[in-house]
Amino acid sequence: MSTVLNYKIPIRIKERSKDDWNMKLSNNNALRRECSLMYCDNDICYYYCTDDYYVYMNTKAAMKLMDESIEKDAFGGVFIDSLFKNDVSMDHSGMLIKYISEKYCKYNSIRMNSFVDSYFKGTLISKVNNNVDHEPFRYLNGVYDGEKLKENLSNQELMDIDNTIEDFYAYIDRYENENVIRDYVNKYDDRGIIKWVEGLTSTNDFVKDYKEQSYAKDENQLF
């Protein structure tokens, strides 16, 4: 994610300690806590702090903090006097991790345009695998010939298609322009799902192509 790689948001947020002892020592750089970036997408930046808390902030606010911060180091870290005076909120017990994991694991347009720490990636995958609350085929049920797909594809294939349709609807809501459908298809629809949803591919041709691609993928994994 270019926003992270180019240090446009804080990679670390360092909150100074303001207790009497450090004030007497004039130790302005003594830290109360340091928070490291675990995850970032267009909407949210999520951090893990040294005192075992998770904190988060809006990505635009994070970019503003990085841009306007008076003190920062050469590695994407910023020094601040207070988390909460800089639009940083506490996520008690990591409640937002489930929400983040669902976005990251389900949507191509989120996963391909986000940053995730290698350790935290495992946490996200584990979290979504343990989530049994998902109602299957919520979006596929409303698509023409959706029932016909259920006769020809596996549950996992249907779930992948359903997730792509949901991602597509979310994407066109976020980016309103005349080329938004074509942009999504070109960037994220490598299996022709949205072309089928939009009626550009017949159901029979889509099922045939989808199965052929799945077979080719399985064959490649053997070598």
Side-chain angles (χ1 to χ4, degrees):
M1 182 180 180
S2 61
T3 300
V4 175
L5 295 178
N6 295 327
Y7 295 155
K8 292 183 179 179
I9 62 169
I11 307 302
R12 282 171 298 280
I13 300 176
K14 304 175 181 181
E15 185 183 31
R16 288 193 178 91
S17 176
K18 288 298 181 181
D19 57 66
D20 292 339
W21 175 252
N22 281 298
M23 293 294 286
K24 290 177 182 177
L25 294 176
S26 298
N27 189 2
N28 292 328
N29 287 324
L31 298 180
R32 180 183 179 191
R33 60 167 65 93
E34 181 173 344
C35 306
S36 299
L37 184 67
M38 293 284 104
Y39 175 86
C40 180
D41 60 29
N42 287 338
D43 300 317
I44 188 173
C45 294
Y46 198 74
Y47 297 82
Y48 176 72
C49 300
T50 50
D51 52 358
D52 211 27
Y53 281 107
Y54 288 104
V55 299
Y56 64 96
M57 65 189 310
N58 178 278
T59 301
K60 288 183 179 179
M63 295 176 72
K64 182 179 179 182
L65 175 61
M66 189 66 184
D67 184 51
E68 297 181 354
S69 180
I70 297 174
E71 287 191 66
K72 45 195 166 187
D73 60 31
F75 306 101
V78 299
F79 292 88
I80 60 176
D81 291 334
S82 169
L83 291 178
F84 309 113
K85 291 181 180 179
N86 287 274
D87 298 317
V88 183
S89 301
M90 192 78 70
D91 180 26
H92 298 284
S93 303
M95 296 297 292
L96 277 176
I97 296 177
K98 178 181 175 181
Y99 163 73
I100 293 171
S101 70
E102 289 177 345
K103 290 200 305 177
Y104 179 80
C105 294
K106 285 169 57 178
Y107 306 143
N108 287 333
S109 65
I110 295 292
R111 184 167 57 254
M112 294 174 66
N113 291 285
S114 62
F115 163 83
V116 60
D117 173 83
S118 57
Y119 172 79
F120 195 62
K121 182 177 180 179
T123 301
L124 295 182
I125 294 172
S126 173
K127 194 77 171 178
V128 80
N129 285 342
N130 292 328
N131 178 25
V132 296
D133 297 330
H134 181 76
E135 178 187 344
F137 320 138
R138 290 180 293 180
Y139 293 85
L140 187 57
N141 286 337
V143 176
Y144 177 75
D145 262 1
E147 291 298 320
K148 192 170 184 178
L149 258 61
K150 296 178 184 179
E151 299 172 4
N152 294 278
L153 300 176
S154 69
N155 278 350
Q156 184 58 58
E157 289 170 329
L158 294 170
M159 187 64 75
D160 290 342
I161 292 169
D162 193 69
N163 289 342
T164 298
I165 296 171
E166 183 178 3
D167 183 33
F168 170 66
Y169 290 154
Y171 185 87
I172 61 178
D173 282 342
R174 288 196 302 268
Y175 305 105
E176 296 181 3
N177 63 70
E178 59 183 17
N179 297 318
V180 66
I181 296 176
R182 186 175 64 190
D183 288 346
Y184 186 92
V185 169
N186 290 339
K187 292 177 182 177
Y188 311 114
D189 187 28
D190 60 338
R191 307 200 68 163
I193 295 169
I194 303 307
K195 286 185 177 180
W196 170 73
V197 170
E198 291 294 305
L200 302 176
T201 305
S202 72
T203 301
N204 288 337
D205 287 343
F206 172 66
V207 170
K208 179 176 178 292
D209 291 344
Y210 196 93
K211 282 186 169 295
E212 287 178 352
Q213 290 182 65
S214 296
Y215 178 78
K217 182 178 179 181
D218 291 342
E219 285 284 293
N220 289 334
Q221 289 177 347
L222 295 177
F223 300 98

